[in-house]
Amino acid sequence: MSMFAEERQRLVADRVAEVGRVSVTELAERFSVTTETVRRDLAALESAGVLRRVHGGAVPAERSATAEASLLERQIQNLLEKRAIADAAADLIESSRAGSVLLDAGSSTEALAERLMGAPLDGAPLVVVTNALPIADKLAADANLNVQLLGGRIRPLTRAAVGPATVDAVERLRPDLAFVGANGLHAQFGLSTPDVEEAAVKAAFVRCARRVVALVDHTKFGVEALVQFARLDQLDAIVTDRAPEGDVADALADAGVDVLEAGKQ
């Protein structure tokens, strides 16, 4: 998929989420493409679970607490926001002089991994530990990084190592920083994800690190997925594209969590 198609599909997904229903004709006019191109975009987004095609257009896909996005869907959604979050997270690594980081499996942490590639070497190589095959594969080519891949059973949906072996390996670590993603960040329920095994690994990340940072875009605020893996008071900071409001903002403040808004540090 070309970058242009990826950007256009992200904007189509945002438009569907914003207005609830879109027509093929409207999208063709908005993006100055043919209706055939729009239909291909809608087919790709439907396959990724982002939306559901209906006669003449599309509507948002229905989601539940156990629904889980594919890698393609997560990479398409909120692409620019995730890149901004990744830039801010990379700055946090540099400013804290962290020597070791844990990167959870997810699209936001994968964006951070891409940001770390090619960074100039300043002292000893940064140690990056991850349970995500895509992240390890990206970073392994960079000689300036010491990349360590955690073992375990690989979940096909997220290509992440999970299970008791993964959790045991994490429990023996004490990294400077852990970066975790989440499907939901709720004032009372904390951070959550749909899968029990992924939640167990994320919870181990939270327990073992000296400092825990959640990478969450604004669409995760107020959302509860099936399994909680961290209370808000277990976090040190969140990096987001838009500052939370209302109950979520109050709960983060009460828990003493620093809110770092990308581009405004």
Side-chain angles (χ1 to χ4, degrees), residues 178-216:
F179 291 96
V180 297
N183 293 72
L185 189 160
H186 190 272
Q188 287 77 45
F189 198 55
L191 297 182
S192 56
T193 193
D195 184 75
V196 172
E197 287 189 302
E198 293 234 15
V201 176
K202 290 173 183 286
F205 274 36
V206 170
R207 289 192 300 270
C208 78
R210 300 181 191 277
R211 192 177 184 198
V212 181
V213 181
L215 306 183
V216 285

Side-chain angles (χ1 to χ4, degrees), residues 28-47:
E29 293 176 353
R30 175 180 286 267
F31 298 110
S32 300
V33 295
T34 65
T35 55
E36 289 76 12
T37 296
V38 171
R39 290 191 179 94
R40 284 196 296 270
D41 287 342
L42 295 181
L45 290 168
E46 184 177 50
S47 296

